Amino acid sequence: MVATSTPTATLSHLQCKECGAQYPLAAMHVCELCFGPLEVKYDLAAIRAQVTRETIERGPHSIWRYRAFLPVESEQPIDLGTGMTPLIRAERLGRRLGLRNLWIKNDAVNMPTLSFKDRVVSVALTRAKELGFTTVGCASTGNLANSTAAIAAHAGLECCVFIPADLEAGKILGTLVYRPTVMAVKGNYDQVNRLCSEVANSQGWGFVNINLRPYYSEGSKTLGFEVAEQLGWQLPDCIVAPLASGSLFTKIHKGFREFVQAGLVADKPVQCHGAQAQGCAPIAQAFAEGRDFIAPVKPHTIAKSIAIGNPADGVYALDLARKTGGQIAAVSDPEIIAGIQILAETEGIFTETAGGTTVAVLEKLAKNGHIDPDALTVVYITGNGLKTQEAVQGAIGEPLTIEPQLGSFARAWERSQTLERLEWQEVLV
Amino acid sequence: MVATSTPTATLSHLQCKECGAQYPLAAMHVCELCFGPLEVKYDLAAIRAQVTRETIERGPHSIWRYRAFLPVESEQPIDLGTGMTPLIRAERLGRRLGLRNLWIKNDAVNMPTLSFKDRVVSVALTRAKELGFTTVGCASTGNLANSTAAIAAHAGLECCVFIPADLEAGKILGTLVYRPTVMAVKGNYDQVNRLCSEVANSQGWGFVNINLRPYYSEGSKTLGFEVAEQLGWQLPDCIVAPLASGSLFTKIHKGFREFVQAGLVADKPVQCHGAQAQGCAPIAQAFAEGRDFIAPVKPHTIAKSIAIGNPADGVYALDLARKTGGQIAAVSDPEIIAGIQILAETEGIFTETAGGTTVAVLEKLAKNGHIDPDALTVVYITGNGLKTQEAVQGAIGEPLTIEPQLGSFARAWERSQTLERLEWQEVLV
């Protein structure tokens, strides 16, 4: 199933990341010779001939302004306004952490389902249609299921998603509402993922992060492209991003490299830091121990969306951090909750546990001197807090209940101000 | 407290909508002579001198591209990427409803807090800073509290919000996380609103929808501006929008009129339809009974975000629907839930109860022949479904729980397909 190429398509072939073997642009993801992962290769001359800063700026306000860098052939990709999320100057958070040039790339408001997964799914389902699939699916820790179900609904594709049975209520409901078939698997993500590989083979479905993975994962490059464009066509000095499978992290960097190769930005080193939860930190552990292999772990953390114990791209993430002078650090569940709170309080952005992890790691790296206070630093917030409400419930206080009378308000206000003064006195003691 | 005007400011004065009395551009909202509502007036010649389609298109990708039409003086308004949400061609929903030219304006993904309220709050808090306020607040049915708390946090303003105590959990949590003071008032929205008027006077705070209301409400015009621009600089034939206070509805139309007056779009009639929940439908009732006054009601509906029993702009909304040949219709709570589901299934958009109300009313109007099947129709979806999860919980089924083995999947899949066939047979019988 290979679609006919259009005049503007820039795709060349699939290639094994390990042994270099080449394959046609089909629905496959593993090298038949060495079992290495396959990656999409492009015709760089064709990209250069099509693309300038101006052609990109004239394009749609979505990931599809970078279509020449994405693995699709269609002139009409699925476009629900995904991407081009705000890059916000984080002055208040920066002051709190002692960072003078801090920016937040806010995919907590990505469209349509409020996580960066809308990027990869828009690409994967566009490619799935090109390859002739009518049923699509995914193995998901929650956000991917939301996104696959929603975008499949819009595109009129049948959809069957697989999740660990213990996911947060908001993520399950935020999938069911689009009416896919939802399989809740009694097991962790790694077991779900293994099952989906078998189902992909037996049913002939297009699984966005399995047999369509080479196309899917390319969507994350747009998080690199957008930051470079939104910074006025330059690369940052330093990024901090969450690590689950490790794919997002490496693809952001691939996006930066491709912009350099296409002559769109000047080359410069970008320090790449990765964030994990201590309850599932196989990549951070390998980093700390100086290993170049990943020892799988059993996840146990509130940061479920990044709880992948056997990360497919872990070694590539490890390699990238080391090569660029970055760190891979892990934080505890209480630190993750504090990370969610500090981001909300200072910047008005409500992120899920993965974002809390990233902010907490940013804080740790800033404190330990791993981030230069004057470096142009971009922190990637990848999902919305409304999906993991359980994580902060109980940690953020309660409303003050009052009667609808001015006197009742005045008494409650007075009490709250007194309490705040007492808290400050405790801080000062 | 009136800020100094900048060279590009287009503001002129406040004016009573009823008696025409003029006032300076201060924090006030009620005419001292006749108690009518005050509205911002602009210098139309100054707007015309500054604005063309091209200047707008070159502006920021947010509501601030329409700054000349908004009641602020600052060159640096609070910009968190609010506005410019997608206008999506709704082919699948259109087919279901028999509408051939249907579009969805999707503010369920507005930034930063996923409702149209981010528009009005960005304007109100920019103006609040210009007027010297350091503490801001609001009377809210939920979305406004989310937005005020988040944007105040980003802007470094103190914040105290007032909500009815029985709001949905997601809306309360989605406010608390930004660390404002939250007053949960034992009463309905109309009681909360009255209390806030007293607090605004006694504390000297800037309440976005009370003493800052003339500025605040102007933010909703951007939902008219954006649709006109996104349709390629033309007005739609027909709109459907939810009615709470009635302000949003009338301001969308005001946006259309101002674009005509500024020479940006050709004049044409736009049929304006309003949507209410039967459990709080004072405007729909007045419309049905041919009255030109609103009889307040006690709200009792799952659509809490639009449950205003005594709507401030009700009579203006009533007048607009009648003047433009529109309808104001109401739907039941089960119809609202079905509206949420049909939008999710067909378009991959998960909206809250207010959006379910709007879709259900759209369906009703289409069935009853009140909307021409070929009319360019825009339906306004104003908030995100993750905030009102209670409403659909139990109505959208459950995942199929399976073991992490192919056999377990195969049995569950077979059962689900058999059930689906049986359901179809029931439909066909």
Side-chain angles (χ1 to χ4, degrees):
Chain A
M1 288 194 287
V2 179
T4 324
S5 201
T6 54
T8 56
T10 53
L11 293 181
S12 172
H13 58 274
L14 295 180
Q15 188 170 310
C16 175
K17 263 182 109 160
E18 293 299 328
C19 76
Q22 298 193 1
Y23 297 90
L25 294 159
M28 59 188 298
H29 67 303
V30 177
C31 178
E32 290 170 0
L33 303 176
C34 77
F35 303 105
L38 302 185
E39 203 170 38
V40 179
K41 292 291 169 181
Y42 301 82
D43 176 350
L44 185 60
I47 293 177
R48 277 211 173 121
Q50 281 178 38
V51 171
T52 63
R53 291 180 183 178
E54 292 68 33
T55 60
I56 291 172
E57 286 167 352
R58 280 201 304 270
H61 196 82
S62 74
I63 58 168
W64 297 110
R65 69 206 278 115
Y66 311 109
R67 179 180 166 284
F69 296 91
L70 295 173
V72 303
E73 295 168 292
S74 169
E75 301 280 352
Q76 297 277 315
I78 302 170
D79 191 353
L80 285 164
T82 301
M84 289 306 280
T85 53
L87 180 73
I88 302 274
R89 179 72 192 264
E91 291 187 10
R92 282 165 46 84
L93 179 60
R95 267 201 297 280
R96 187 87 76 100
L97 305 183
L99 299 175
R100 287 185 283 269
N101 198 1
L102 180 65
W103 299 73
I104 295 170
K105 179 62 175 170
N106 186 13
D107 260 20
V109 289
N110 198 16
M111 302 170 189
T113 69
L114 314 175
S115 86
F116 87 97
K117 293 293 186 186
D118 292 327
R119 300 172 182 274
V120 284
V121 172
S122 293
V123 172
L125 295 192
T126 295
R127 187 66 187 152
K129 287 181 82 168
E130 290 174 1
L131 293 173
F133 289 106
T134 54
T135 300
V136 295
C138 64
S140 172
T141 55
N143 281 320
L144 182 56
N146 294 171
S147 187
T148 303
I151 299 177
H154 181 85
L157 292 162
E158 290 298 314
C159 182
C160 182
V161 304
F162 294 71
I163 54 174
D166 71 342
L167 276 196
E168 299 94 342
K171 289 207 171 142
I172 297 177
L173 184 132
T175 299
L176 282 170
V177 73
Y178 304 109
R179 291 281 176 106
T181 302
V182 180
M183 296 280 173
V185 181
K186 288 187 198 163
N188 60 36
Y189 173 77
D190 301 287
Q191 293 173 291
V192 174
N193 197 35
R194 261 197 305 279
L195 173 62
C196 286
S197 290
E198 298 180 81
V199 175
N201 288 332
S202 74
Q203 299 289 118
W205 294 346
F207 275 76
V208 299
N209 57 340
I210 298 178
N211 49 350
L212 295 167
R213 190 174 180 85
Y215 308 100
Y216 159 92
S217 59
E218 289 284 286
S220 292
K221 292 188 310 191
T222 57
L223 275 169
F225 299 150
E226 289 178 17
V227 161
E229 181 181 349
Q230 289 171 322
L231 287 173
W233 300 103
Q234 62 165 331
L235 300 184
D237 297 319
C238 170
I239 65 163
V240 185
L243 300 184
S245 74
S247 171
L248 168 74
F249 187 60
T250 55
K251 292 291 183 175
I252 291 171
H253 185 258
K254 185 166 187 251
F256 293 153
R257 296 310 311 157
E258 289 184 357
F259 261 25
V260 171
Q261 286 156 15
L264 293 168
V265 296
D267 199 0
K268 78 181 223 197
V270 181
Q271 216 177 28
C272 298
H273 301 288
Q276 294 211 291
Q278 280 169 4
C280 182
I283 312 175
Q285 282 162 15
F287 184 88
E289 294 165 17
R291 281 190 270 117
D292 55 7
F293 65 93
I294 306 291
V297 301
K298 274 213 165 130
H300 187 71
T301 169
I302 58 166
K304 295 183 185 181
S305 68
I306 52 171
I308 299 186
N310 189 12
D313 292 281
V315 289
Y316 302 115
L318 201 54
D319 184 52
L320 175 63
R322 286 181 178 141
K323 204 171 65 187
T324 62
Q327 297 283 316
I328 296 180
V331 286
S332 68
D333 285 359
E335 287 172 316
I336 291 168
I337 293 168
I340 293 173
Q341 284 179 284
I342 185 178
L343 183 66
E345 273 173 59
T346 56
E347 296 297 338
I349 293 171
F350 182 18
T351 185
E352 60 159 12
T353 45
T357 306
T358 311
V359 171
V361 164
L362 171 74
E363 187 171 9
K364 185 174 262 188
L365 296 177
K367 271 191 189 148
N368 296 348
H370 287 298
I371 296 178
D372 175 351
D374 289 308
L376 197 172
T377 300
V378 175
V379 54
Y380 284 89
I381 298 301
T382 49
N384 197 292
L386 286 171
K387 297 190 193 183
T388 61
Q389 299 183 24
E390 298 90 332
V392 290
Q393 196 96 52
I396 52 172
E398 295 285 328
L400 306 171
T401 302
I402 63 173
E403 301 294 329
Q405 280 103 31
L406 191 58
S408 181
F409 157 74
R411 283 187 298 277
W413 177 249
E414 181 55 38
R415 269 199 312 278
S416 75
Q417 296 307 99
T418 310
L419 279 174
E420 203 167 285
R421 273 196 303 277
L422 288 174
E423 278 171 26
W424 270 105
Q425 283 168 2
E426 276 174 38
V427 171
L428 296 173
V429 167
Chain B
M1 290 196 286
V2 181
T4 324
S5 201
T6 54
T8 56
T10 52
L11 293 180
S12 172
H13 58 274
L14 294 180
Q15 188 169 309
C16 175
K17 264 182 106 161
E18 294 298 328
C19 77
Q22 299 192 1
Y23 296 90
L25 294 159
M28 60 187 298
H29 67 303
V30 176
C31 178
E32 289 169 1
L33 303 176
C34 77
F35 303 106
L38 302 185
E39 202 170 39
V40 179
K41 291 290 168 181
Y42 300 82
D43 176 349
L44 186 60
I47 293 177
R48 277 212 172 121
Q50 281 178 39
V51 171
T52 63
R53 292 180 181 178
E54 292 68 34
T55 60
I56 291 173
E57 287 166 353
R58 280 200 305 272
H61 196 82
S62 74
I63 58 168
W64 296 109
R65 67 207 280 113
Y66 311 110
R67 181 180 166 283
F69 296 91
L70 294 173
V72 303
E73 295 167 294
S74 169
E75 301 280 353
Q76 298 276 315
I78 302 170
D79 190 354
L80 286 164
T82 301
M84 289 305 280
T85 53
L87 180 71
I88 302 273
R89 179 73 191 262
E91 291 188 11
R92 281 165 47 84
L93 178 61
R95 267 201 297 280
R96 188 86 76 100
L97 305 183
L99 299 175
R100 287 184 284 268
N101 198 1
L102 180 65
W103 299 73
I104 295 170
K105 179 63 175 170
N106 185 13
D107 260 21
V109 289
N110 198 17
M111 301 171 187
T113 68
L114 314 176
S115 85
F116 87 97
K117 293 292 186 186
D118 292 327
R119 300 172 181 273
V120 285
V121 172
S122 293
V123 172
L125 295 192
T126 296
R127 187 66 188 153
K129 287 181 83 169
E130 290 174 1
L131 293 173
F133 289 106
T134 55
T135 300
V136 295
C138 64
S140 173
T141 54
N143 282 321
L144 183 56
N146 294 172
S147 186
T148 303
I151 300 177
H154 181 86
L157 292 162
E158 291 296 315
C159 182
C160 183
V161 303
F162 294 72
I163 54 174
D166 70 344
L167 276 196
E168 298 94 342
K171 290 209 171 142
I172 296 176
L173 185 133
T175 299
L176 282 170
V177 73
Y178 305 109
R179 290 282 176 104
T181 303
V182 181
M183 297 279 174
V185 181
K186 289 187 200 161
N188 60 35
Y189 174 78
D190 302 287
Q191 292 172 293
V192 174
N193 197 35
R194 263 196 304 279
L195 173 61
C196 286
S197 290
E198 297 178 82
V199 175
N201 287 334
S202 73
Q203 299 288 117
W205 294 345
F207 275 75
V208 298
N209 57 339
I210 297 175
N211 49 350
L212 295 167
R213 189 173 182 86
Y215 308 100
Y216 159 92
S217 59
E218 289 283 286
S220 293
K221 292 189 308 190
T222 58
L223 275 169
F225 298 152
E226 288 178 19
V227 161
E229 182 181 348
Q230 290 171 321
L231 287 173
W233 301 103
Q234 62 165 333
L235 301 184
D237 297 319
C238 171
I239 65 163
V240 185
L243 300 183
S245 75
S247 171
L248 168 74
F249 188 61
T250 54
K251 292 291 182 174
I252 291 171
H253 186 258
K254 184 164 188 255
F256 293 152
R257 297 311 310 159
E258 289 183 358
F259 260 27
V260 171
Q261 286 156 15
L264 293 168
V265 296
D267 199 1
K268 77 181 226 198
V270 181
Q271 215 177 27
C272 298
H273 301 288
Q276 294 211 291
Q278 279 170 4
C280 183
I283 311 175
Q285 282 161 15
F287 184 87
E289 293 165 18
R291 280 191 269 117
D292 56 7
F293 65 94
I294 307 290
V297 301
K298 275 213 169 149
H300 186 71
T301 168
I302 58 167
K304 295 182 184 180
S305 68
I306 52 172
I308 299 185
N310 189 13
D313 292 281
V315 289
Y316 302 115
L318 202 54
D319 185 50
L320 175 62
R322 285 180 179 144
K323 205 169 66 187
T324 61
Q327 297 283 316
I328 297 180
V331 286
S332 68
D333 285 0
E335 288 172 316
I336 292 168
I337 293 169
I340 293 174
Q341 285 180 281
I342 185 178
L343 183 66
E345 273 172 58
T346 56
E347 297 297 337
I349 294 171
F350 183 18
T351 185
E352 59 159 12
T353 44
T357 306
T358 311
V359 171
V361 164
L362 171 74
E363 188 172 7
K364 185 176 263 189
L365 295 178
K367 271 191 189 148
N368 296 347
H370 287 299
I371 296 178
D372 175 350
D374 289 309
L376 197 172
T377 300
V378 175
V379 53
Y380 284 89
I381 298 301
T382 49
N384 196 290
L386 286 171
K387 298 189 191 183
T388 61
Q389 299 183 24
E390 298 90 332
V392 289
Q393 196 96 50
I396 53 172
E398 294 285 329
L400 305 172
T401 303
I402 62 173
E403 301 294 330
Q405 281 102 32
L406 191 59
S408 181
F409 156 75
R411 283 188 296 277
W413 177 250
E414 181 56 36
R415 268 200 313 278
S416 75
Q417 296 307 99
T418 310
L419 278 174
E420 205 167 282
R421 273 196 302 277
L422 289 174
E423 278 171 26
W424 271 105
Q425 284 167 2
E426 276 172 39
V427 170
L428 297 174
V429 167

